[in-house]
Amino acid sequence: VTHIGDGAIIGAGSVVTKNVPPFAIVAGNPARLIRYRFSFDLIKEIIDSSWWNLDIDDLRKQEGEFLKFQVDLNQPPIESVNAVQNVG
């Protein structure tokens, strides 16, 4: 394993034997993809924002910009493994 993507969730006790894409949820032994946390469009927006690299004061100044990332929790999960290759 050489990369676990930003925002990925790894299930407790999982054995990760392959790279994990950004914002993926994986679990098991060996770990397998369960689903993605967000739509691929939203994943791309979050990655492009790189908000985690900003200073806390800059984050506060741009608060309105980050409100657009609010997620509709009723949205069905994204299941396609192949589509993530276009993200990040």
Side-chain angles (χ1 to χ4, degrees), residues 4-27:
I4 295 179
D6 293 321
I9 296 175
I10 311 297
S14 296
V15 177
V16 178
T17 60
K18 296 180 181 176
N19 293 340
V20 178
F23 298 95
I25 300 171
V26 300

Side-chain angles (χ1 to χ4, degrees), residues 27-40:
N29 182 4
R32 66 175 182 79
L33 178 67
I34 305 299
R35 68 182 188 95
Y36 290 95
R37 295 175 59 191
F38 311 115
S39 70
F40 291 112

Side-chain angles (χ1 to χ4, degrees), residues 1 18-19 23 35 43-44 60 64 72 85 88:
V1 176
K18 296 180 181 176
N19 293 340
F23 298 95
R35 68 182 188 95
I43 290 172
K44 183 168 178 6
R60 287 186 180 119
D72 177 3
Q85 297 191 14

Side-chain angles (χ1 to χ4, degrees), residues 13-73:
S14 296
V15 177
V16 178
T17 60
K18 296 180 181 176
N19 293 340
V20 178
F23 298 95
I25 300 171
V26 300
N29 182 4
R32 66 175 182 79
L33 178 67
I34 305 299
R35 68 182 188 95
Y36 290 95
R37 295 175 59 191
F38 311 115
S39 70
F40 291 112
D41 290 339
L42 184 55
I43 290 172
K44 183 168 178 6
E45 282 185 59
I46 294 170
I47 291 170
D48 289 348
S49 77
S50 296
W51 65 268
W52 50 90
N53 291 325
L54 297 176
D55 180 81
I56 189 68
D57 292 327
D58 291 333
L59 285 170
R60 287 186 180 119
K61 289 176 189 172
Q62 298 179 33
E63 179 181 357
E65 187 69 18
F66 293 101
L67 292 177
K68 74 179 184 179
F69 290 127
Q70 290 181 352
V71 178
D72 177 3
L73 295 178

